[in-house]
Amino acid sequence: PAAPPAEETTDEKEIRQQVEYYFSDENIVSDEFLLKQMKKAPQGFVSLHILLTFPKIKRRKIGVGALRRALRRSTVLNVSDKGVKRVAPLPPGTMHVDVKKPSSHHKQSTPGMVTLDAVVDKRLQGRVERAWSRTRRDRGGGDKTTDASG
């Protein structure tokens, strides 16, 4: 008979929780890179190799095998040879968000910021706490930032 799986180590638990956060409803709605990876992958699986490039995972200096072991106890992620994907479907409207790379004047400078088009989109109402409008001044340069939250 096969031996029971070893207890989850603290490192494995922390890695699992971090990756679960990446795929969570809270994070996924504004994570353009991860959404793009999910859209282009067969059946929505994201390669473990891609996840190993995420800074908080990369700092741990682990390989694919260690990442797979850390994720084996997840109840919210499906781990296979194809990679990792959410068990639950994406939040409504998430797959309709345009995840193309923003143009240089729309680049997100703060984690969690989304484009104005995404904020205006009714499917994201209630998911955005605060919005800013950035406009380019005349050719003199410089940005003007206006807090557009109400």
Side-chain angles (χ1 to χ4, degrees), residues 12-28:
E12 288 174 336
K13 182 178 180 181
E14 289 172 358
I15 292 165
R16 177 181 51 79
Q17 289 174 333
Q18 184 63 50
V19 175
E20 286 176 345
Y21 171 75
Y22 291 145
F23 285 87
S24 70
D25 286 356
E26 177 184 354
N27 184 67
I28 201 71

Side-chain angles (χ1 to χ4, degrees), residues 93-105:
T94 304
M95 289 306 279
H96 300 291
V97 173
D98 184 7
V99 294
K100 292 179 184 171
K101 184 176 178 182
S103 63
S104 61
H105 63 281

Side-chain angles (χ1 to χ4, degrees), residues 29-44:
V29 296
S30 61
D31 191 327
E32 292 185 11
F33 177 78
L34 189 54
L35 278 172
K36 183 178 177 182
Q37 296 304 311
M38 293 170 70
K39 277 186 168 183
K40 73 179 188 180
Q43 302 165 345

Side-chain angles (χ1 to χ4, degrees), residues 47-150:
S47 165
L48 293 173
H49 293 282
I50 295 287
L51 293 173
L52 288 172
T53 67
F54 286 35
K56 289 184 179 181
I57 304 300
K58 188 175 184 175
R59 269 186 247 141
R60 294 181 173 274
K61 297 180 180 164
I62 61 172
V64 170
L67 181 56
R68 183 177 282 118
R69 280 190 301 281
L71 298 176
R72 73 179 182 255
R73 294 183 190 271
S74 179
T75 59
V76 297
L77 298 174
N78 181 354
V79 184
S80 79
D81 292 339
K82 297 175 188 174
V84 179
K85 75 175 190 174
R86 291 169 49 110
V87 171
L90 288 168
T94 304
M95 289 306 279
H96 300 291
V97 173
D98 184 7
V99 294
K100 292 179 184 171
K101 184 176 178 182
S103 63
S104 61
H105 63 281
H106 287 113
K107 282 189 179 174
Q108 296 178 2
S109 58
T110 305
M113 289 183 70
V114 295
T115 65
L116 182 58
D117 290 339
V119 173
V120 172
D121 188 327
K122 293 190 184 302
R123 291 172 290 210
L124 292 181
Q125 285 184 348
R127 296 188 201 159
V128 178
E129 293 178 19
R130 196 171 184 126
W132 288 268
S133 171
R134 294 190 81 180
T135 57
R136 181 75 60 191
R137 286 189 185 161
D138 293 346
R139 292 182 188 207
D143 283 344
K144 176 182 177 185
T145 303
T146 304
D147 183 347
S149 58

